Every structure is written in C-alpha cells, then in structure tokens.
C-alpha cells in the first residue's frame, strides 16, 4: 500500500513539474515581498504578462489615503506567492491625489499602457494615461487629462478590459451620482473613441469587466470610501461589450438576515422565525441552494401563536381567535430575475400549535426560491417553525438550502468585508478561471492603511445560465497554475 501511495505522489509531482505548479493562496495573512515587507499595492490589478504576474496598485503607506503621498507601485511574481518589488510606476508624477492604476498590453504597438485616476484637487477627477516598453515601467505620461464622453461630470473609479480582437474598453463611474458606463478606447489605447454604451447603474464604483464563453461581465457595486464593512459585487451580463447589460444578482451580499431556525429540523413550538408586516408589505423568506435543482413543492410549518389574546372580553363567545391561513406567493429565480410560481395545489393541515401548508407546483429548475405573504393577511406577523423544499413531493425527497429573511429594512450585508478591486483571469491546469479580488480596508493589525490585506477568492463558480454563485469566505485555497 505504501509503495502505491509513493508512486502516486511521485506521479503527481511529475505532472505538476511538467505542466505547472500548485500554489497556496492564504487570505488570513498579508502578502509579503522578498524582503518580508507587506505588499502595499491596493485598488489595482494582478495581471499575467508572459510567464510573470504583475501586481499594480496604489501605495498608501501610513496615510489616510487622501493625500498627495499616494504613489503607484508594481510587484512581480512567478507563482502569486513570492513578490518582488519593482518600484514606482510614475517617477515624476504631477502633484495630486492618485488612485486605481490599471495596466494593459497593446499587441499592435508592443506598448504597456497605464491608465490612472487622479485629482489635482479633490474631487476634480481626471484620467491619465502613460506608456512603457516594459510591464514594470517606468511609465511616461502621455496625457494627464484624457477627455471622456462624460468628463463634464467628473471621472472616478474605472476598470480596463481587452477583448479577444484586441479592442480595449474602459468601464468607469462619474463623480456626480457615480454613474457607471462603458466606452471603447482608440486602437493605441491612449484615448477614448467617445463611443459610450449608456448608463448601466448609479452610485457605483470599482468596476471590473471580463469575458467568458462569449458573454461580457461587469461587476460593480455601491461606493465604499475605504469602508471596513466592504462593498458588494453586482453582476451585470451582456452579449455586447458596451451595452445591453442585465443585472443578475449580487455575489458579495447576503440576501438578508440568516434564519437557520427554519431549517433546523424542529417543526413545533417557539423555535421559529418571525415574518413581520411593514408599510410596503411583509418581509420575505429566501431559500438559496446554489446549484440549480428541480423542485415541485414546498412545505411551510407555522406556529399559531400570532393570534391576539382574548382577555377580559366576557361577552365574546369564541374560546380562541380563529386560525387564519396566510396566502403565500412563491417566486423562483431565473437568470437573476424573480418569476411567480404557478401553484397546482394547496393542502392545509391544522393541529395543536401547528399549521402546515403544502404547496405543489410544476417541476421547476432553479437555484433560489422566495416566499411572500399576501398583504391582505389578517395578522401583522407569521411564525415559521420550519421549511421544506421538495425535489419530489410524492416521496418527500428534499433539497438542502440556506435561508434568509429579506425585505423591509433588513440590510444586505457584504459576505466578504472587502471593496472589490479586480476580477483576474487565471490560467490553471484545468482551464481559465476567474478570481475576485478585494481590499480588506481596516484589516491591518497595526492600523496602517498600506498594510491592509487583500482577499483573493477561490475560482468563481458559474451556473449553467452564466450567472455566478455567491462568494464564500475561504481562509486558504490551492490552485494549479498552467505554465506559459
């Protein structure tokens, strides 16, 4: 047995050495350079040129991030673990406040092109562009005031994307209302063609665009001013690089407050989740199960303690107020949108301290279900002991799920407390994958902004319809890098 294990291990080591290397990504520790210093490179990107990864970012040092001391830096690595500090990208940058450096390569003229967002005076946002013959610079400024289609309302965060045909695009937000749109760049990547696809969203920043299976993705979310609670990551998908984007969900926000009590196996008593009425209707319960599954029914188990007491009204002939069954609406999610489920049958059973509602519908494939209470229900709250989602109602086969209370004033908290910075395409031994990256502002134990960690997700998971599964915090993960 030991010999078989030894041979398997040797074979695996041969495969790794021949075709790539396995690397551990650790999100619990800061990334370090060769000298053991913490990598100070934020709100930029990690991109592979040739056989080397380059990490471009803003160095903040021990500042609050709103000073002219910000500078652009570059680190290089062969394995995403050992980083060499290459130095500053702009040797003689004009006085101002600098953020968000992105570098792309122009195959036509063999130039590395740096775009950056800077402010001669806060908050008079501009874009600058510089070029270099090498990925690590230094970069020479070509234009420090690039005019865009929406320059009149100020220029803020942005992202760069190069398509398969080498056409480059910039997704950016304005200072006014933080409106996000996408523009096509000139063939030399040094200016905008002024072709703008129109406003995609408002109050957004930190956009990142990529392409997968012929479809274009733009991830962005609400503004986050070095917030330590993090931002979300709305996923917009289109068949066109500049326009036609549809919001399909937010992969870095919980739908609402987790309510595991409705999925704990306790069907009776006072172990329940309370669903309350608000001015705009009842709160809802969302059941999320990630991978699409076929379902044909749902079981809702209610505690009947929501009825008012009958104390002192001696002329009231009723022993107890009546049990009134709520009318439930069931929605299912498809391609990021909610659609109403057509109900085939409803069965109600009432027993001591419990009411059971079994709703059957045509078999439907989805990854999330939402339960809503009709607004004309007699009482202001319902108590849910348990929920069951049936894959086969007849034989009671169920689907596992996570449950959340949504609606009303319930906040959608970020899953990863980080502000998105980039989505990196990573070429692995199993093919192209996509890594979500975010700055964990306020994470440094010494309270130095430049020492704040970055979170690098394990490869994003895509559903068959192209939408992306929500992020999950992972302390560490491994990846097999493909040799180039």
């Amino acid at each position: 047995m030991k010999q078989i294990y030894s041979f398997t291990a040797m074979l695996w080591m041969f495969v790794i050495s021949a075709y790539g290397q396995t690397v551990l990504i650790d999100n619990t520790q800061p990334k370090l350079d060769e000298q053991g210093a913490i990598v100070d490179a934020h709100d930029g990107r990690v991109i592979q040129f040739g056989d080397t990864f380059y990490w471009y970012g803003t160095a903040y040092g021990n500042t609050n991030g709103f000073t002219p001391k910000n500078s652009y830096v570059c680190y290089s690595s062969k394995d995403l673990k050992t980083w060499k500090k290459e130095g500053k990208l702009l040797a003689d940058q004009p006085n101002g406040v600098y953020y968000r450096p992105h570098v792309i390569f122009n195959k036509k003229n063999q130039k590395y092109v740096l775009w950056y967002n800077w402010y001669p005076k806060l908050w008079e946002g501009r874009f600058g562009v510089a070029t270099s013959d090498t990925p690590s610079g230094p970069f020479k400024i070509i234009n420090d005031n690039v005019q865009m289609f929406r320059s009149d309302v100020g220029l803020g965060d942005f992202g760069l994307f190069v398509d398969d045909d080498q056409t480059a695009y910039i997704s950016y937000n304005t200072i006014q209302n933080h409106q996000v749109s996408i523009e096509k760049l000139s063939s030399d990547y040094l200016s905008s063609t002024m072709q703008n696809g129109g406003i995609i969203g408002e109050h957004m920043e930190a956009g990142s665009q990529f392409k997968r299976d012929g479809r274009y993705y733009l991830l962005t979310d609400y503004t986050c001013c070095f917030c330590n609670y993090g931002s979300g990551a709305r996923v917009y998908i289109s068949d066109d690089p500049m326009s036609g984007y549809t919001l399909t969900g937010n992969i870095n926000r919980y739908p609402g407050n987790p309510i595991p009590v409705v999925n704990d196996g306790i069907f009776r008593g006072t172990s329940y989740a309370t669903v309350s009425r608000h001015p705009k209707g009842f709160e809802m319960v969302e059941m999320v199960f990630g991978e699409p599954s076929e379902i044909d029914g749902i079981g809702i188990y209610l505690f009947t303690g929501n009825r008012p007491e009958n104390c002192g009204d001696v002329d009231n002939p009723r022993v107890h107020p009546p049990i009134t069954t709520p009318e439930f609406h069931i929605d299912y999610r498809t391609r990021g949108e909610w659609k109403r489920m057509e109900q085939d049958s409803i069965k109600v059973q009432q027993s001591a301290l419990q009411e059971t509602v079994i709703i059957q519908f045509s078999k439907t494939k989805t990854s999330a279900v939402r339960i809503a209470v009709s607004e004309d229900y007699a009482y202001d709250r319902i108590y849910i002991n348990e929920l069951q989602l049936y894959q086969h109602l007849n034989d009671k086969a169920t689907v596992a799920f996570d449950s959340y209370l949504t609606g009303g004033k319930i906040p959608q908290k970020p899953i990863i407390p980080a502000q998105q910075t980039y989505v990196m395409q990573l070429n692995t031994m199993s093919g192209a994958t996509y890594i979500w990256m975010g700055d964990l502002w306020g994470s440094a134990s010494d309270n130095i902004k430049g020492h704040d960690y970055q979170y690098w997700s394990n490869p994003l998971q895509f559903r068959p319809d192209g939408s992306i599964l929500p992020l999950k915090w992972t302390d560490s993960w491994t990846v097999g890098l493909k040799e180039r």
Side-chain angles (χ1 to χ4, degrees), residues 290-351:
E291 289 294 335
S293 299
E294 288 190 335
I295 56 174
D296 66 1
I298 188 168
I300 306 171
Y301 299 83
L302 303 171
F303 174 58
T304 59
N306 60 340
R307 293 171 292 161
E309 296 176 356
N310 183 17
C311 180
D313 186 2
V314 296
D315 295 325
N316 190 332
R318 294 195 309 268
V319 176
H320 296 298
I323 297 175
T324 304
T325 303
E327 178 185 352
F328 292 102
H329 302 299
I330 311 298
D331 300 327
Y332 69 99
R333 189 167 60 197
T334 175
R335 291 181 62 87
E337 298 180 341
W338 291 104
K339 291 188 176 181
R340 183 58 47 88
M341 192 85 75
E342 294 291 336
Q343 301 179 17
D344 294 338
S345 66
I346 303 174
K347 295 181 180 180
V348 179
Q349 296 177 337
Q350 294 177 349
S351 60

Side-chain angles (χ1 to χ4, degrees), residues 45 114 122 142 153 167 187 229 276 313 359 370 408 430 454:
R45 67 167 53 193
L114 164 69
L122 292 176
I142 303 300
V153 285
T167 302
S187 60
Y229 48 82
S276 302
D313 186 2
I359 301 173
R370 187 173 67 184
S430 59
Q454 275 202 350

Side-chain angles (χ1 to χ4, degrees), residues 380-399:
D380 288 335
R381 60 187 59 85
I382 65 170
Y383 303 136
I384 301 179
N385 285 132
E386 194 78 359
L387 292 171
Q388 286 194 316
L389 199 57
Y390 296 108
Q391 195 166 19
H392 302 290
L393 181 58
N394 291 337
D395 59 15
K396 304 302 182 184
T398 59
V399 176

